[in-house]
């Protein structure tokens, strides 16, 4: 009733590999619905890619490239540790991110390149729908695993949690290489 990809998704999302699968009709339906939503998102991305627009550089392009490289790095790590349920969580996170970015001003070339990489890293989990997606993009269904651009993994800003007397009073976002003195000045300027 649900298809092979939905069953694979449910089994991998349900529990870590060392535990038995607890069958749940509700979980199976949720996996099936995710596959359906992913296909609708794919159609939306395909439409965006097919639209002609200038390939201009922008913040959204950089955000997409960073997200894709961070995703590949995470999935490499999770696959090596057999953390399949965490990979499924990353897939849901990616779905949400792509759903937002497809409506923003992003170049078609950047979208297609990064979406292709995302599809490739999802192929071990939901291979059948991924092959359909790759074919609809006129890409070969047998792709090599994408490499990670280490420069894209670097974080520029960090959220510093501010505690006074052991209680959280707020967070401050600042560059990762900020000096302690400058950070203290920012903290003292904060109203909280």
């Amino acid at each position: 009733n649900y298809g092979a990809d939905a069953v694979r998704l449910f089994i991998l999302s349900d529990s870590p590999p060392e535990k038995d699968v607890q069958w749940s009709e509700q979980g199976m339906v949720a996996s099936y619905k995710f596959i359906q939503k992913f296909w609708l998102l794919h159609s939306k991305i395909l439409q965006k890619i097919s639209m002609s627009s200038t390939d201009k550089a922008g913040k959204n392009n950089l955000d997409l490239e960073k997200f894709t490289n961070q995703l590949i790095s995470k999935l490499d790590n999770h696959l090596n540790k057999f953390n399949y349920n965490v990979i499924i969580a990353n897939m849901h996170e990616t779905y949400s991110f792509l759903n937002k970015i497809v409506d923003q001003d992003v170049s078609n070339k950047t979208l297609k390149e990064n979406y292709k990489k995302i599809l490739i890293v999802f192929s071990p989990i939901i291979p059948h729908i991924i092959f359909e997606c790759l074919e609809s993009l006129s890409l070969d269904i047998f792709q090599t695993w994408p490499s990670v651009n280490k420069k894209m993994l670097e974080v520029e800003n960090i959220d510093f949690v501010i505690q006074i007397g052991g209680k959280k009073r707020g967070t401050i976002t600042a560059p990762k290489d900020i000096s302690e003195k400058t950070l203290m000045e920012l903290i003292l300027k904060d109203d909280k």
Side-chain angles (χ1 to χ4, degrees), residues 21 81-82 107 109 123 129 189:
V21 174
K81 293 181 178 179
F82 301 103
S107 83
K109 181 181 176 187
S123 64
I129 192 170
K189 288 180 186 176

Side-chain angles (χ1 to χ4, degrees), residues 95-107:
Y95 170 83
S96 297
F97 178 81
L98 287 175
N99 220 3
K100 290 175 190 167
I101 201 93
V102 75
D103 293 328
Q104 296 176 2
D105 188 26
V106 62
S107 83

Side-chain angles (χ1 to χ4, degrees), residues 103-137:
D103 293 328
Q104 296 176 2
D105 188 26
V106 62
S107 83
N108 298 352
K109 181 181 176 187
T110 304
L111 180 60
K112 185 174 182 178
E113 287 173 5
N114 286 282
Y115 184 56
K116 173 186 159 188
K117 291 176 184 178
I118 290 169
L119 290 174
I120 292 167
V121 297
F122 282 3
S123 64
I125 309 300
I126 49 175
H128 302 95
I129 192 170
I130 297 301
F131 288 166
E132 292 290 328
C133 293
L134 289 170
E135 278 187 342
S136 67
L137 287 166

Side-chain angles (χ1 to χ4, degrees), residues 11-30:
I11 290 171
L12 294 174
S13 68
D14 184 53
S15 60
E18 63 272 3
K19 294 187 177 178
D20 291 337
V21 174
Q22 296 293 322
W23 182 260
S24 155
E25 189 72 24
Q26 183 181 6
M28 192 62 234
V29 169

Side-chain angles (χ1 to χ4, degrees), residues 17-191:
E18 63 272 3
K19 294 187 177 178
D20 291 337
V21 174
Q22 296 293 322
W23 182 260
S24 155
E25 189 72 24
Q26 183 181 6
M28 192 62 234
V29 169
S31 294
Y32 177 74
K33 284 182 179 179
F34 178 77
I35 298 291
Q36 298 302 312
K37 288 187 334 184
F38 187 81
W39 182 253
L40 292 174
L41 175 63
H42 170 74
S43 301
K44 197 174 174 182
I45 291 171
L46 194 60
Q47 184 179 13
K48 173 94 174 184
I49 289 171
S50 66
M51 292 170 43
S52 60
S53 76
T54 56
D55 284 334
K56 54 188 173 189
K59 181 184 183 309
N60 295 330
N61 289 348
L62 185 61
D63 288 347
L64 178 57
E65 288 184 41
K66 281 186 173 189
F67 183 87
T68 303
N69 279 279
Q70 290 170 352
L71 176 70
I72 295 167
S73 178
K74 286 180 200 174
L75 292 188
D76 282 344
N77 188 31
H78 296 315
L79 280 170
N80 288 333
K81 293 181 178 179
F82 301 103
N83 294 336
Y84 300 124
N85 53 342
V86 181
I87 293 172
I88 306 306
N90 292 138
M91 289 175 72
H92 287 276
E93 176 187 346
T94 302
Y95 170 83
S96 297
F97 178 81
L98 287 175
N99 220 3
K100 290 175 190 167
I101 201 93
V102 75
D103 293 328
Q104 296 176 2
D105 188 26
V106 62
S107 83
N108 298 352
K109 181 181 176 187
T110 304
L111 180 60
K112 185 174 182 178
E113 287 173 5
N114 286 282
Y115 184 56
K116 173 186 159 188
K117 291 176 184 178
I118 290 169
L119 290 174
I120 292 167
V121 297
F122 282 3
S123 64
I125 309 300
I126 49 175
H128 302 95
I129 192 170
I130 297 301
F131 288 166
E132 292 290 328
C133 293
L134 289 170
E135 278 187 342
S136 67
L137 287 166
S138 302
L139 297 169
D140 184 17
I141 60 171
F142 299 106
Q143 298 284 332
T144 58
W145 195 262
S147 59
V148 176
N149 181 348
K150 301 284 186 191
K151 290 181 182 177
M152 292 290 176
L153 298 179
E154 294 177 9
V155 178
E156 295 160 7
N157 290 325
I158 297 174
D159 290 332
F160 291 93
V161 177
I162 310 304
Q163 289 185 337
I164 300 174
K167 293 184 181 181
K168 179 181 170 186
R169 301 295 181 191
T171 58
I172 293 181
T173 303
K176 66 178 180 180
D177 55 356
I178 192 169
S179 69
E180 183 179 348
K181 180 181 177 185
T182 310
L183 181 61
M184 288 304 293
E185 289 172 3
L186 286 173
I187 293 169
L188 293 174
K189 288 180 186 176
D190 194 302
D191 294 337

